[in-house]
């Protein structure tokens, strides 16, 4: 956009995107979210006082918008802008604010500027221009009350303080409306809507609906709830012109259908104005077509239809558009125009599938976001702090290009989960994206989020970038079992300690800058302190403490392996000597960990686990070995019953490709030795490994508990000693590997979905000679040839380590692994 001088009005203006502004002006003029049409010019100094004028007919949403604008101006700039419905007083700035057609002076001002309020829901028109005698007039008209509320946020962004401290407002002509019509915030606990700050966050984020539920699903038919509190929530939503869905579980037996209808009626009587048919993970229930038909009829009786009706299909049908359930229910008159929520990233194919099952509107997106990621360093010490996170950290990890395209393929969107995160980080991230997805710019979005919360952006962005970088240098445990303790965050490498300390120091300096600017925050001072500043302080302190904490994990594995080997050798005196020598170090380390990490979640339980382990004597270690062997047999039996029968895993065991690569009949590979791993396990996780014999078949086996979360870095290891003979330049190992994990989720399926998350390896000293991805299932087993590297001529036995390990933390990543006899081959080739 060309830099413009003063213009008394914007008659016949040509609209362009704000993003066209170049250079320094772009920084000053950047609006978030970007308007659909905008023409910005220079800032106009505001002479004298400012008033926000409302029509005497103004409803609650317009009045709320005026108060919100005045409050934010006061918080950011310290200026008092009064609100009045009286005749225009003398003022340097008049802000005319209202719904189109209800405020004649406002309508005239916009007509003079050549602006018409756009037709789409939640749209608004905004003009800022200089008038006679040096005054300034701002006119904001919304298609509805929400349009006024959303438009006042853009108007606020046009306000500036000049270099001399004088108030100013940038001249502008703007028409704006959302690309995605419906943008909401369900919450599993409706009480959150009793907090005024949460409403301000919703409006700032340009969300236009909520839904009422009291669990992670929906209200159960006939559920009891606090009617007084629910009435307050509904009243607050109406005050802000929000759409209010009531979510009721419809996936129930037919005998509960009357109760479903009764619960919907109860909420509608209290003032809810939209209905949500929830099937979700509860399933389709009995006679779903019948209950949907009856709920739609109730809606019609109350004037509710079209996009005021929503549905979450049952598991299996909320991931896939074209299913039997979706086709049958979409055929019910009235459901063609309802909001259908699927978890897929919006795309053209889903639109085509929606049309194929009979929908007349675009699909809607239930974005399970944010999802599993490394957590807070200070978790358990108070309110946790999480940086602003992108929408890619959710189901299906949508890319930026997909997010920019999504506006063409989706009618409504909502975030699910994330109520533990900072709400002024979470809600704008999805709300501003969904208002203008085609111009999605995560860095620009973050910049304004920080400006809103702290009154400054650069140090806040640096703080979060620093924290994200530090998170990658630490391991975060996710489970606590008898085999491995839930450890507070610990360094991946002790070599990182100095850099982590330096980075945390820089974050402290960034936080000092943030505090110095926080007087300009748009948040209430107590909210800012409790939800942001104090958690950020705790986070930095916890990073420094975690970096310095002398966790036993840093050195324990080598000690434990020595103890286990002594016990396996039945040398109890040697084992007790090793134990006694290490015990003081364990206790000293734990005392320091408890001091440094006293406020962290699970520190006490962690220390208790290690103290018990440190007190163990050789006999206790012998019993632990036996317990793990028994545990392995239990897991083999469990997997055999529920996941992978042992005989299936061994199906190809008796067909070894001994003549691998011989080609012509004259060649013959020689089997020089057949060995198994030794039943002398070392371990550091919930994995259990050992050698078993079942159905007269001897194999090594590794298995994880099917019911616990997986810690990154966990492992189990068995020694393999291969006697060497033959020509050293022709040696190879022939291995039999069978494994399986869980490739389904819900009723969905993704082949090899855990690929890259764990592996089985053969190690010679610290050199890897073979590796197989255990995210690739081999349920009926396969043979693998491993060419050995050059070996010393005097090496009589090759000492290998067979190791299974996890590369990332995970939930529901079950696995069992079988490795059959290992054959040493001399290959018949030059």
């Amino acid at each position: 956009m060309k830099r413009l001088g003063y213009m008394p009005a914007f008659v016949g203006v040509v609209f362009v995107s704000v993003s066209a502004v170049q250079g320094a002006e772009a920084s000053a003029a950047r609006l978030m979210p970007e308007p659909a049409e905008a023409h910005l010019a220079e800032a106009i100094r505001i002479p004298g006082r400012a008033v926000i004028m409302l029509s005497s007919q103004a409803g609650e949403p317009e009045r709320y918008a005026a108060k919100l604008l005045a409050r934010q101006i006061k918080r950011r700039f310290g200026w008092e802008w009064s609100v009045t419905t009286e005749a225009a007083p003398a003022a340097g700035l008049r802000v005319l604010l209202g719904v189109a057609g209800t405020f004649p002076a406002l309508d005239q001002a916009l007509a003079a500027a050549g602006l018409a309020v756009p037709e789409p829901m939640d749209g608004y028109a905004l003009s800022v221009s200089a008038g006679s005698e040096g005054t300034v007039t701002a006119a904001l008209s919304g298609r509805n009350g929400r349009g006024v509320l959303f438009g006042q946020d853009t108007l606020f962004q046009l306000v500036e303080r000049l270099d001399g401290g004088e108030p100013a407002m940038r001249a502008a002509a703007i028409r704006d409306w959302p690309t995605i019509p419906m943008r909401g915030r369900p919450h599993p606990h409706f009480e959150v809507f009793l907090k005024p700050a949460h409403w301000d966050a919703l409006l700032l984020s340009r969300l236009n609906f909520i839904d009422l539920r009291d669990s992670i699903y929906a209200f159960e038919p006939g559920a009891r709830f606090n009617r007084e509190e629910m009435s307050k929530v509904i009243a607050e939503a109406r005050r802000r012109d929000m759409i209010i869905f009531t979510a009721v579980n419809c996936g129930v037996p037919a005998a509960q259908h009357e109760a479903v209808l009764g619960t919907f009626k109860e909420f509608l009587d209290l003032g809810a104005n939209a209905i949500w048919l929830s099937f979700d993970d509860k399933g389709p229930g009995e006679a779903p077509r019948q209950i949907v038909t009856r709920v739609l009829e109730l809606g019609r009786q109350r004037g509710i239809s079209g996009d005021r009706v929503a549905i979450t299909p049952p598991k299996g049908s909320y991931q896939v558009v074209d299913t039997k359930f979706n086709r049958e229910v979409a055929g019910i008159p009235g459901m063609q125009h309802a909001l259908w929520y699927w978890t897929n990233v919006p795309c053209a194919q889903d639109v085509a599938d929606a049309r194929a099952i009979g929908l007349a509107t675009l699909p809607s997106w239930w974005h399970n976001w944010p999802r599993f990621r490394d957590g807070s360093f200070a978790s358990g010490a108070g309110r946790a702090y999480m940086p602003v996170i992108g929408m890619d950290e959710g189901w299906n990890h949508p890319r930026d290009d997909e997010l920019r395209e999504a506006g063409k393929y989706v009618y409504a969107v909502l975030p699910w989960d994330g109520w533990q995160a900072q709400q002024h980080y979470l809600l704008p991230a999805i709300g501003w994206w969904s208002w203008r997805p085609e111009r999605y710019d995560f860095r620009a979005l973050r910049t304004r989020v920080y400006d809103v919360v702290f009154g400054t952006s650069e140090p806040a962005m640096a703080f979060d970038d620093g924290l994200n970088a530090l998170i990658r240098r630490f391991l975060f445990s996710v489970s606590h079992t008898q085999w491995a303790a839930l450890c507070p965050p610990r360094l991946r490498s002790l070599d990182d300690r100095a850099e982590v300390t330096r980075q945390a120091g820089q974050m402290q300096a960034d936080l000092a800058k943030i505090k110095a600017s926080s007087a300009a925050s748009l948040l209430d001072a107590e909210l800012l302190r409790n939800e942001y500043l104090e958690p950020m302080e705790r986070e930095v302190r916890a990073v420094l403490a975690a970096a310095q904490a002398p966790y036993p994990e840093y050195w324990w594995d080598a000690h434990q392996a020595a103890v286990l080997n002594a016990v396996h050798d039945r040398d109890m005196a040697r084992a007790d000597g090793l134990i006694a020598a290490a015990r003081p170090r364990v206790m000293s380390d734990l005392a320091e960990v408890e001091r440094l990490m006293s406020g962290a979640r699970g520190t006490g339980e962690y220390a208790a686990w290690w103290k018990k382990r440190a007190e163990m004597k050789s006999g206790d270690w012998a019993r632990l070995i036996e317990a793990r062997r028994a545990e392995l047999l239990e897991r083999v039996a469990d997997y055999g019953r529920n996941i992978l029968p042992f005989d299936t895993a061994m199906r190809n065991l008796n067909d070894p490709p001994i003549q691998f690569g011989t080609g012509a009949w004259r060649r013959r590979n020689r089997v020089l030795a057949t060995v198994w791993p030794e039943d002398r396990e070392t371990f550091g996780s919930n994995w259990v490994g050992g050698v078993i014999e079942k159905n007269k078949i001897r194999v090594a086996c590794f298995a994880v508990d099917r019911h616990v979360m997986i810690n990154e870095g966990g492992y189990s290891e068995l020694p393999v000693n291969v006697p060497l003979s033959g020509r050293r330049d022709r040696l190879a190992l022939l291995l039999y590997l069978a494994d399986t994990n869980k490739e389904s989720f819900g009723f969905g399926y993704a082949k090899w979905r855990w690929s890259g998350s764990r592996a089985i390896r053969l190690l010679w000293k610290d050199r890897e000679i073979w590796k197989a991805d255990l995210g690739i299932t081999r349920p009926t087993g396969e043979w693998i040839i491993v060419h050995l590297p050059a070996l010393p001529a005097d090496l009589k036995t090759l000492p290998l380590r067979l190791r299974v390990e996890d590369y990332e933390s995970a939930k529901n990543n079950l696995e069992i692994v079988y490795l059959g006899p290992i054959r040493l081959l001399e290959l018949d080739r030059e």
Side-chain angles (χ1 to χ4, degrees), residues 61-259:
E62 301 99 286
R63 294 174 185 272
Y64 189 84
K67 292 178 181 178
L68 184 57
L69 177 60
R71 185 168 75 240
Q72 294 193 147
I73 292 293
K74 174 69 173 178
R75 284 179 175 169
R76 172 57 52 89
F77 301 104
W79 305 330
E80 297 283 354
W81 286 17
S82 59
V83 179
T84 180
T85 57
E86 303 299 325
L93 169 66
R94 295 188 313 152
V95 179
L96 308 178
L97 185 152
V99 172
T102 67
F103 192 175
L106 171 60
D107 295 339
Q108 292 167 10
L110 284 177
L115 294 178
V117 179
E119 290 295 328
M121 179 173 64
D122 299 348
Y124 64 87
L126 168 60
S127 169
V128 179
S129 60
S132 60
E133 302 177 355
T135 60
V136 182
T137 299
L140 168 62
S141 181
R143 176 57 53 193
N144 52 21
R146 294 189 304 275
V148 179
L149 281 160
F150 301 149
Q152 69 79 30
D153 176 58
T154 300
L155 179 61
F156 171 79
Q157 294 179 70
L158 297 175
V159 180
E160 300 179 14
R161 190 194 301 274
L162 299 178
D163 290 342
E166 304 96 329
M169 184 177 288
R170 188 169 291 274
I174 295 172
R175 283 169 26 99
D176 196 15
W177 61 90
T179 295
I180 298 176
M182 301 281 283
R183 308 160 311 280
R185 173 51 166 163
H187 200 286
H189 307 295
F190 69 86
E191 294 90 349
V192 73
F193 297 116
L194 295 171
K195 300 176 181 179
H198 197 79
W199 282 112
D200 289 352
L202 288 169
L203 293 174
L204 174 78
S205 307
R206 310 214 180 175
L207 303 179
N208 62 4
F209 75 82
I210 63 171
D211 86 0
L212 304 174
R213 59 182 69 222
D214 196 26
S215 75
I216 62 170
Y217 297 109
F219 277 99
E220 291 297 321
R224 295 182 179 182
F225 56 89
N226 187 314
R227 291 177 61 89
E228 182 179 353
E229 287 187 345
M230 189 64 71
S231 296
K232 288 180 181 178
V233 169
I234 291 172
E236 290 298 314
R238 285 190 169 277
R239 184 183 174 203
R240 295 160 176 86
D241 197 21
M242 298 289 279
I243 302 164
I244 312 159
F245 284 90
T246 175
V248 180
N249 174 25
C250 297
V252 297
Q256 294 186 36
H257 285 185
E258 289 298 332

Side-chain angles (χ1 to χ4, degrees), residues 343-415:
T343 57
N344 303 340
V345 177
C347 62
Q349 185 58 53
D350 281 357
V351 174
D353 290 345
R355 296 286 183 260
I357 67 172
L359 298 194
T361 192
L362 292 173
S364 295
W365 187 23
W366 179 294
H367 188 25
N368 277 319
W369 169 78
R371 272 314 202 235
F372 192 83
R373 66 167 283 170
D374 292 328
S376 163
F377 288 91
S379 179
R383 179 69 165 95
Y385 178 80
M386 295 294 287
V388 178
I389 60 175
M391 288 174 60
D392 60 313
E393 299 205 38
W395 273 24
N396 303 310
H397 295 279
R399 302 187 311 268
D400 282 6
D401 60 328
E402 292 176 310
L403 291 169
R404 282 189 281 269
E405 287 283 313
K408 298 185 291 188
Y409 310 128
V410 65
Y411 188 89
V413 65
L414 61 87

Side-chain angles (χ1 to χ4, degrees), residues 646-647 653-654 676 692-699:
F646 183 79
D647 289 344
L653 179 66
N654 292 323
W676 286 262
I692 66 168
E693 188 163 331
K694 186 177 176 66
N695 301 340
K696 298 183 179 179
I697 297 173
R698 186 182 179 196
V699 291

